[in-house]
Amino acid sequence: MAAVVGNAELRRPGGYVVQVLAVAALYYGSARLGLLRELSVGNAVFTPIYPPTGVSVAALLIFGIGCWPGITLGALVLILTISPPGPDLVGILFGNTAAPVCAAILLHWARFRPDLSRFRDGLALVFLGALAAMTISATVGVGMLVLTDKLAAHDFWPVWLAWWVGDAMGVLLVTPLLLMLSGLRRPLPLGRWREATALTVIACVLVPVATYSSLSLLFLVYPLIIWAALRFQLAGAVLCALFTSVMATIAATDGSGAFQGLSPVEIMAKLQAFNGTMALTALLMSALITEQRNTRRSVERACQELVQVLEHLTAGDVPLPRPQTDADADGTGDSDDTGGRSSPAP
């Protein structure tokens, strides 16, 4: 179920205004970062990863649907700073706001948990929050460009696909990261920092080699993603995927490495296919591993309680029943707050 933060301070008018302005600032700042790297498809320019969509969905899940004006305000400021307003302004603002709102509503109906502790949460975020909901912003945005004669009708589908994938990648890469950061309560145990440092060093060496090599060695990053998901769950997998995606995007926009000598359409197709499959692998694998480990902990705890019950029965005592928690009812058990609220196995 989507998390809705309802702090007393934020329910006050002043707190709500601060919340909306904070969401708008995050939207605008992340958009400026995304616009640093662009690709051209047809007569349109797009960003391979559009972080504001991920920021918007995360904000709606953390703060609630009521913060949607911050998304509209951030999008308005962005559009006014990069181009003069036109008749398509209202339509684009509507699409950029409606898509994240629709994503949050769909995830709420799917009983999505922001800690991504279940495999179904990963599936919901991928297929409902990213792939399904982001069709709204792409359809409305590109449709308005065609209606206002800023884009030729025959370029609709290539630009639509680029817009849709860029928005979906923002949700797949940025939303899990922000949800993870909002749920962190304590850092990694001291003994795990050595492995985390080793993973970071190897990633900083391997990822640039894979993305900038002319031999097209992009497949080398998948063992790294698997390692990160197995040992650090959501935190490791999402951070590795985000770093790899950024490096691949830089190489693609520079026309270097695995993207050298390709046409703009071929670069877009190769980059988005790589980013999409990598993000899906990282997100779904980390969610699956987290769910399995939570289930194992639940089974271990049940076995320990059964042993205690048998000991009491042997001694002639009647043990008091333990009250059932929501986590027990769902079969997920306890989860720590390290790396997506589930600490790695010792």
Side-chain angles (χ1 to χ4, degrees), residues 7 16 30 43 61 76 93 101-102 141 163 166 179-180 192-193 207 214 229 238 272 287 289 302-304 324-325 345:
N7 229 294
Y16 176 73
S30 61
N43 295 321
L61 292 175
L76 175 62
L93 289 177
V101 170
C102 180
W163 191 312
L179 293 177
M180 177 197 69
R192 301 303 306 279
W193 280 105
V207 172
S214 59
V238 169
Q272 302 297 48
I289 292 171
C303 291
Q304 293 173 358
Q324 188 181 37
T325 63

Side-chain angles (χ1 to χ4, degrees), residues 240-282:
C240 276
L242 181 59
F243 175 64
T244 304
S245 181
V246 170
M247 292 300 299
T249 300
I250 293 174
T253 52
D254 289 341
S256 304
F259 306 94
Q260 187 174 3
L262 301 179
S263 67
V265 175
E266 291 172 336
I267 290 176
M268 186 271 292
K270 186 172 185 177
L271 174 64
Q272 302 297 48
F274 170 70
N275 282 343
T277 54
M278 181 191 56
L280 289 175
T281 301

Side-chain angles (χ1 to χ4, degrees), residues 302-320:
C303 291
Q304 293 173 358
E305 293 172 356
L306 180 59
V307 170
Q308 294 175 0
V309 170
L310 292 176
E311 290 176 349
H312 283 290
L313 292 176
T314 302
D317 300 330
V318 180
L320 295 175

Side-chain angles (χ1 to χ4, degrees), residues 11-290:
R11 290 174 182 170
R12 298 171 183 171
Y16 176 73
V17 171
V18 171
Q19 182 189 91
V20 169
L21 292 177
V23 172
L26 289 173
Y27 187 102
Y28 177 79
S30 61
R32 300 303 299 189
L33 288 176
L35 292 173
L36 293 177
R37 292 289 171 170
E38 299 175 339
L39 288 174
S40 297
V41 175
N43 295 321
V45 177
F46 76 100
T47 57
I49 304 173
Y50 195 58
T53 57
V55 171
S56 300
V57 174
L60 293 170
L61 292 175
I62 295 171
F63 300 121
I65 300 294
C67 72
W68 68 264
I71 300 172
T72 306
L73 179 60
L76 175 62
V77 174
L78 175 68
I79 294 174
L80 293 179
T81 56
I82 61 177
S83 64
D88 57 342
L89 176 63
V90 175
I92 293 177
L93 289 177
F94 171 79
N96 287 355
T97 305
V101 170
C102 180
I105 293 174
L106 290 175
L107 292 174
H108 177 79
W109 286 346
R111 298 185 179 275
F112 173 78
R113 290 183 179 176
D115 59 3
L116 289 165
S117 59
R118 303 171 301 176
F119 185 64
R120 59 177 288 185
D121 297 325
L123 291 176
L125 184 62
V126 170
F127 292 102
L128 297 179
L131 301 184
M134 293 306 116
T135 58
I136 298 175
S137 57
T139 303
V140 174
V142 181
M144 292 303 300
L145 294 178
V146 173
L147 290 176
T148 55
D149 294 327
K150 292 185 177 180
L151 183 71
H154 61 82
D155 288 330
F156 178 88
W157 287 113
V159 176
W160 183 93
L161 181 62
W163 191 312
W164 174 62
V165 175
D167 283 355
M169 287 305 304
V171 175
L172 292 178
L173 291 172
V174 179
T175 298
L177 178 64
L178 296 179
L179 293 177
M180 177 197 69
L181 292 176
S182 70
L184 283 178
R185 295 180 184 174
R186 61 183 178 85
L188 280 174
L190 186 60
R192 301 303 306 279
W193 280 105
R194 293 181 180 178
E195 184 178 4
T197 302
L199 176 62
T200 302
V201 171
I202 294 175
C204 291
V205 174
L206 182 62
V207 172
V209 171
T211 53
Y212 276 90
S213 173
S214 59
L215 299 177
S216 189
L217 300 177
L218 294 175
F219 61 88
L220 290 179
V221 304
Y222 286 99
L224 193 67
I225 298 295
I226 295 172
W227 177 15
L230 285 172
R231 300 298 292 164
F232 300 99
Q233 285 82 65
L234 184 65
V238 169
L239 288 174
C240 276
L242 181 59
F243 175 64
T244 304
S245 181
V246 170
M247 292 300 299
T249 300
I250 293 174
T253 52
D254 289 341
S256 304
F259 306 94
Q260 187 174 3
L262 301 179
S263 67
V265 175
E266 291 172 336
I267 290 176
M268 186 271 292
K270 186 172 185 177
L271 174 64
Q272 302 297 48
F274 170 70
N275 282 343
T277 54
M278 181 191 56
L280 289 175
T281 301
L283 186 59
L284 296 181
M285 177 168 286
S286 62
L288 179 61
I289 292 171
T290 300

